Amino acid sequence: YVSRDFLPRGSGIVTRRPLVLQLITAKTEYAEFLHCKGRKFTDFDEVRQEIEVETDRITGVNKGISSIPINLRIYSPHVLSLTLIDLPGITKVPVGDQPPDIEQQIRDMIMQFISRENCLILAVTPANTDLANSDALKLAKEVDPQGLRTIGVITKLDLMDEGTDAREILENKLLPLRRGYIGVVNRSQKDIDGKKDIKAAILAERKFFLSHPAYRHMADRMGTPYLQKVLNQQLTNHIRDTLPAFRSKLQSQLLSIEHEVEVYKNFRPEDPTRKTKALLQMVQQFSVDFEKRIEGSGDQVDTLELSGGAKINRIFHERFPFELVKMEFNEKELRREISYAIKNIHGIRQVLPHSPVQTGLFTPDMAFEAIVKKQIVKLKGPCLKSVDLVIQELINTVKKCTKKLATYPRLCEETERIVAGYIREREEKTKDQVLLLIDIQVSYINTNHEDFIGFANAQQRSSQVNKSAVGNQVIRKGWLTINNIGIMKGGSKEYWFVLTAESLSWYKDDEEKEKKYMLPLDNLKVRDVEKSFMSSKHIFALFNTEQRNVYKDYRFLELACDSQEEVDSWKASLLRAGVYPDKSATENDENIQADNFSMDPQLERQVETIRNLVDSYMSIINKCIRDLIPKTIMHLMINNVKEFINAELLAHLYSSEDQNTLMEESAEQAQRRDETLRMYQALKEALAIIGDISTSTVSTPAPPPVDDSWLQQARRSPPPSPSTQRRPTLNNPPTRPLSGRGPAPAIPSPGPQSGAPPVPFRPGPLPPFPSGGEALGGPPQVPSRPTRAPPSVPR
């Protein structure tokens, strides 16, 4: 016990904020408040005043309450290490500035603390009130139904009516608790006003229990010092029980911050070369992270989306080929351009009055070259777009890698600026080289290429575009939602889709046992569908170019994905299977062109021949471009940026700003480093202390359960108040000895003393007696009280 008077006292509700009181064993005696860091209170009158002032600061001076706790630590050689929480008593009627729901607010505040499993509950009840109606016991029962954490404390034993006592309660016979009750006698208001010393009050309490005929036989199990020992023993038990789990928790916390501590462990603020070393390490780490993200061997793998090298690979092999095909296949427009080219090359000869055929006798080579060159030039758009996509991903990768440099904000900003600037420089050179590759293809049309079909084969070739000879191999599998087919109009359902070179099938699930439908890919095309207002899905549709139903009564099949990237990926896969994007002209354009354009049979044959030649040559060009563009971007952009980061970034950083400016830590990072290092050291020390604790610490088992159903029935049929039970008069000889020694053997073994070290027994067969018991004089009497339980004891 503190043996100091520092808690506010008065009438009405005095404790209006929770007081968290930590008692810590120390050589000197002083107090500290959490809200007054660094200030030590040696005068405990000032401690009381500070509690009152801090309470009024939050709650006001007119009886207001708050759940914000006041944290007080008391260091003293006279205390055992305990943490106590003083909570407000339940108020039924609001006064002053208290809200109308004051009772519920205080109840919620109390429940917030006593609900914790590592908290012992001291259910304090005055002896001169009805115990069965105790709010403290009722709340304790709600959160501790087994009674393992609840200790009953009976106060004001000295204020009970004359002729009454609380012996039945303190012996745990009436209204029993699993851990029993402990009686205490505190100072009265007169004692407080008279400045009665705490030590004197403890002695007076001891004298009261030794001299009272109803309590003298259990005086050693009553009083504030005994309550302190019981609480300390319960703390010892709790530490012993929770030590293994606590050790595991500390070890897991230590492991969780070890990686972060590795970054800080070599931190030496006084080392003049510290900043230079840190700069070198940061640049080296940035270089390694960038290369790992590009090469795909990073230690931090993104599981939410494609990024870095994986996304660039997707751009090269899915997005770029799809953009090429989307641009290339526009059949009607291409044939129209070929016919105009043939007519324009023949010039006036096509209208000579006696010419047997108006379009000339032979298919002109110039028309073929003009059309091919125009188609090749169109490739510039998709090629430049692929460069832009790769640059954007490189910049995103740089931003992700610089997150590890956040310790030094200026270094992070400069690194990102320098690398991004270099990427923009390489952008110009890469785009120039890409355009040069296209111009090289335009400059010379190599009709002697081994894969070119030639004029003779072109005349015999069918005008239809044949699919690649890929067989019926599986191209892609995955989940898709059929958006326009369901039980109700507008319904949707998810299926497992399998795309092959010849068909698109869907199944109930990915086990592929129950096939729902197989859709042939002949005459199918794909087109985009606008995203609906209510849907978060991205949609594309398959339809038949011959205006036939795609599936049952549906002219088109709407398929939905979660992201646009997934839609583009499926389009690229459909492209491999020969399902091309829809690029048909609008109906009005077709009508206009139909009105202004017609071909004779000879011109149709020439258009067909050149169309086949263009198709053959463009397939060669596309194959070459698909191979060269990724290689060009890789060489001039990606590899060049990696070499720049490895070889030149450090030099650019040195030349950009002063080293001290670059390596200035942010205040948040410095604070985080200090806290992490302190936490790491504290965890290591805690584990070392736990390792030194002997597992043979003396502990006491939990007492067996008792019948505490009275707590549940108290509100319905409360038993008689113990304060109204009259003790027999002193003139009745048979019962006089019972108040002293008689009931001692009947005290249950798991009574309130079960939570504390056993009281030393006096040798002999008789039960133990307190040291003050000799005052009764005479030999012990044989108990003559009937063995039956009082009527109020629950059965």
Side-chain angles (χ1 to χ4, degrees):
Y1 51 94
V2 184
S3 300
R4 295 286 187 175
D5 183 10
F6 60 90
L7 292 178
R9 294 289 296 268
S11 60
I13 180 170
V14 177
T15 303
R16 294 181 286 129
R17 289 177 59 183
L19 176 64
V20 179
L21 176 61
Q22 291 178 276
L23 305 181
I24 302 173
T25 305
K27 294 181 179 180
T28 58
E29 190 173 59
Y30 61 94
E32 286 183 345
F33 285 94
L34 185 62
H35 62 272
C36 299
K37 289 184 177 180
R39 182 182 175 187
K40 294 183 179 180
F41 293 80
T42 56
D43 185 349
F44 282 81
D45 289 335
E46 294 182 3
V47 173
R48 180 174 57 255
Q49 293 172 6
E50 182 63 31
I51 293 174
E52 294 172 349
V53 169
E54 180 63 15
T55 299
D56 293 343
R57 186 178 66 86
I58 299 296
T59 63
V61 296
N62 197 15
K63 304 297 183 180
I65 65 166
S66 171
S67 61
I68 302 174
I70 299 174
N71 291 270
L72 172 62
R73 287 182 178 178
I74 293 183
Y75 299 82
S76 173
H78 309 299
V79 300
L80 297 174
S81 294
L82 283 175
T83 298
L84 305 173
I85 303 175
D86 185 19
L87 296 171
I90 294 183
T91 298
K92 304 290 185 179
V93 180
V95 296
D97 292 336
Q98 294 174 356
D101 60 341
I102 181 69
E103 181 180 1
Q104 185 61 39
Q105 286 193 23
I106 294 179
R107 176 188 171 87
D108 294 341
M109 185 193 311
I110 293 173
M111 296 293 284
Q112 176 185 349
F113 288 95
I114 67 175
S115 298
R116 301 173 185 173
E117 289 298 325
N118 62 344
C119 172
L120 281 175
I121 304 169
L122 295 184
V124 181
T125 306
N128 54 359
T129 61
D130 190 351
L131 184 66
N133 291 325
S134 170
D135 290 316
L137 289 172
K138 181 176 182 294
L139 292 177
K141 179 65 177 177
E142 290 183 17
V143 297
D144 181 31
Q146 300 299 323
L148 291 173
R149 299 189 289 116
T150 303
I151 299 175
V153 178
I154 306 299
T155 64
K156 300 184 180 180
L157 292 168
D158 55 332
L159 301 181
M160 297 184 68
D161 294 339
E162 186 177 354
T164 63
D165 59 55
R167 173 177 173 176
E168 298 283 346
I169 296 174
L170 296 177
E171 288 180 347
N172 209 27
K173 291 181 178 180
L174 181 68
L175 312 180
L177 289 179
R178 189 166 184 174
R179 293 197 179 275
Y181 296 87
I182 298 175
V184 296
V185 176
N186 297 320
R187 293 180 302 165
S188 64
Q189 190 63 44
K190 179 181 178 181
D191 294 335
I192 295 172
D193 296 338
K195 304 292 183 181
K196 186 174 183 178
D197 185 66
I198 296 291
K199 292 182 180 180
I202 294 295
L203 293 175
E205 179 188 47
R206 175 69 174 169
K207 182 178 179 181
F208 171 82
F209 284 115
L210 290 174
S211 61
H212 197 288
Y215 310 132
R216 64 178 61 173
H217 70 286
M218 48 183 168
D220 286 341
R221 300 191 302 277
M222 296 291 118
T224 304
Y226 179 73
L227 176 61
Q228 183 186 23
K229 291 178 182 179
V230 169
L231 294 178
N232 190 257
Q233 181 61 51
Q234 294 307 316
L235 177 64
T236 303
N237 293 348
H238 177 74
I239 291 175
R240 179 184 173 87
D241 295 339
T242 60
L243 205 57
F246 188 55
R247 181 189 290 110
S248 299
K249 184 177 180 180
L250 291 179
Q251 287 173 341
S252 63
Q253 287 180 342
L254 188 67
L255 290 175
S256 66
I257 65 172
E258 268 187 348
H259 179 71
E260 189 173 358
V261 170
E262 284 293 323
V263 181
Y264 303 138
K265 68 179 181 179
N266 296 322
F267 181 79
R268 300 289 184 274
E270 70 282 353
D271 186 359
T273 63
R274 175 181 62 84
K275 292 187 177 181
T276 303
K277 292 178 182 178
L279 177 59
L280 293 174
Q281 290 173 353
M282 288 294 179
V283 173
Q284 184 180 8
Q285 183 64 43
F286 174 78
S287 175
V288 170
D289 288 346
F290 183 82
E291 186 162 355
K292 282 184 176 181
R293 286 183 178 271
I294 296 299
E295 298 299 330
S297 59
D299 52 353
Q300 295 181 349
V301 179
D302 191 346
T303 58
L304 300 178
E305 61 178 358
L306 289 179
S307 61
K311 192 165 186 177
I312 292 174
N313 179 71
R314 181 178 179 179
I315 293 170
F316 285 161
H317 300 295
E318 290 187 7
R319 188 71 180 270
F320 178 51
F322 179 73
E323 293 293 334
L324 287 178
V325 174
K326 191 167 66 172
M327 176 277 309
E328 174 189 354
F329 287 91
N330 195 336
E331 190 69 25
K332 292 183 180 180
E333 183 180 349
L334 180 59
R335 290 179 177 275
R336 190 175 295 112
E337 289 177 356
I338 293 173
S339 65
Y340 284 151
I342 293 174
K343 287 183 178 181
N344 288 331
I345 288 172
H346 280 290
I348 197 171
R349 287 173 295 169
Q350 65 182 336
V351 292
L352 290 175
H354 301 293
S355 177
V357 285
Q358 292 190 356
T359 55
L361 296 175
F362 304 104
T363 301
D365 295 339
M366 294 177 62
F368 165 72
E369 288 198 8
I371 296 299
V372 165
K373 288 181 179 179
K374 185 175 181 180
Q375 294 299 314
I376 294 175
V377 170
K378 288 182 179 180
L379 297 178
K380 290 184 178 180
C383 293
L384 294 178
K385 185 176 182 179
S386 66
V387 175
D388 292 334
L389 292 174
V390 171
I391 288 172
Q392 185 60 46
E393 185 55 34
L394 284 177
I395 292 177
N396 290 339
T397 303
V398 169
K399 290 180 178 179
K400 290 179 180 178
C401 292
T402 53
K403 288 181 179 179
K404 290 189 176 181
L405 308 181
T407 309
Y408 307 101
R410 285 298 303 157
L411 176 63
C412 181
E413 293 175 6
E414 279 300 300
T415 301
E416 187 174 330
R417 182 187 66 81
I418 291 172
V419 177
Y422 184 78
I423 291 174
R424 293 302 179 188
E425 290 179 12
R426 299 308 303 176
E427 175 185 9
E428 297 181 8
K429 296 181 180 180
T430 304
K431 287 185 175 180
D432 290 343
Q433 184 64 30
V434 167
L435 294 176
L436 179 61
L437 288 176
I438 303 298
D439 292 338
I440 288 173
Q441 297 293 343
V442 172
S443 64
Y444 179 64
I445 307 301
N446 181 17
T447 56
N448 293 322
H449 195 281
E450 58 183 3
D451 294 333
F452 187 59
I453 61 173
F455 179 76
N457 292 331
Q459 289 181 317
Q460 299 174 3
R461 185 176 176 183
S462 170
S463 61
Q464 294 181 352
V465 179
N466 294 324
K467 293 190 289 185
S468 302
V470 293
N472 197 29
Q473 67 180 14
V474 175
I475 297 175
R476 184 187 178 99
K477 295 182 179 182
W479 291 99
L480 285 174
T481 300
I482 301 182
N483 203 56
N484 62 326
I485 297 177
I487 299 175
M488 301 171 59
K489 187 177 180 181
S492 60
K493 193 171 182 181
E494 195 173 36
Y495 294 99
W496 178 259
F497 279 75
V498 177
L499 174 65
T500 67
E502 296 179 356
S503 65
L504 178 66
S505 305
W506 57 90
Y507 298 82
K508 180 181 178 180
D509 50 40
D510 54 3
E511 294 182 0
E512 299 182 14
K513 292 181 179 179
E514 185 179 342
K515 181 184 285 189
K516 293 295 184 181
Y517 196 75
M518 185 180 74
L519 178 65
L521 300 182
D522 297 332
N523 300 320
L524 289 185
K525 282 196 173 184
V526 61
R527 70 183 178 195
D528 293 324
V529 177
E530 289 187 6
K531 184 177 177 182
S532 65
F533 175 73
M534 299 296 293
S535 174
S536 60
K537 300 274 189 179
H538 298 262
I539 308 171
F540 64 97
L542 296 174
F543 68 98
N544 194 297
T545 56
E546 297 180 356
Q547 303 299 317
R548 296 178 180 176
N549 291 340
V550 175
Y551 172 68
K552 294 184 179 180
D553 296 332
Y554 295 91
R555 284 295 182 93
F556 58 89
L557 186 67
E558 287 187 0
L559 303 176
C561 304
D562 291 329
S563 66
Q564 186 60 43
E565 290 185 357
E566 198 173 351
V567 170
D568 294 339
S569 181
W570 270 102
K571 286 182 180 178
S573 300
L574 289 167
L575 185 62
R576 289 182 57 197
V579 180
Y580 298 107
D582 177 31
K583 292 289 289 183
S584 59
T586 60
E587 185 177 352
N588 291 337
D589 292 340
E590 289 179 358
N591 292 337
I592 294 173
Q593 296 293 344
D595 294 340
N596 299 332
F597 173 72
S598 62
M599 291 191 292
D600 55 47
Q602 178 66 19
L603 179 60
E604 288 181 2
R605 287 194 296 273
Q606 290 181 347
V607 168
E608 187 65 32
T609 300
I610 292 180
R611 174 67 185 87
N612 291 336
L613 291 173
V614 170
D615 188 34
S616 174
Y617 195 79
M618 286 304 297
S619 66
I620 297 172
I621 297 298
N622 278 336
K623 189 176 181 180
C624 181
I625 291 298
R626 287 185 187 184
D627 183 59
L628 284 178
I629 295 302
K631 291 178 178 178
T632 301
I633 296 174
M634 195 71 194
H635 174 69
L636 294 177
M637 176 69 67
I638 299 174
N639 290 342
N640 227 286
V641 171
K642 288 196 295 185
E643 291 174 3
F644 171 79
I645 292 174
N646 286 329
E648 301 181 38
L649 175 60
L650 186 60
H652 280 73
L653 286 171
Y654 272 119
S655 61
S656 64
E657 273 192 51
D658 177 59
Q659 178 184 339
N660 292 328
T661 305
L662 281 176
M663 302 308 294
E664 284 183 358
E665 278 188 314
S666 63
E668 295 82 2
Q669 185 61 31
Q671 181 180 357
R672 178 178 176 79
R673 183 191 66 248
D674 294 340
E675 290 177 354
T676 303
L677 291 175
R678 281 199 301 269
M679 175 66 74
Y680 182 75
Q681 191 62 33
L683 289 173
K684 290 183 66 176
E685 292 177 0
L687 287 171
I689 293 172
I690 290 176
D692 294 338
I693 294 177
S694 173
T695 56
S696 61
T697 304
V698 177
S699 63
T700 58
V706 297
D707 182 7
D708 58 358
S709 58
W710 63 273
L711 280 173
Q712 301 171 1
Q713 302 171 359
R715 297 302 179 190
R716 290 176 295 177
S717 56
S721 172
S723 61
T724 62
Q725 294 181 358
R726 290 277 177 179
R727 295 288 299 153
T729 63
L730 297 179
N731 297 326
N732 192 341
T735 57
R736 174 62 185 85
L738 296 180
S739 62
R741 306 187 185 207
I747 295 175
S749 58
Q753 73 273 23
S754 61
V759 179
F761 285 173
R762 177 171 296 184
L766 294 177
F769 292 93
S771 58
E774 286 76 0
L776 293 175
Q781 301 293 321
V782 177
S784 60
R785 182 188 295 268
T787 56
R788 61 181 180 84
S792 57
V793 176
R795 293 289 182 181

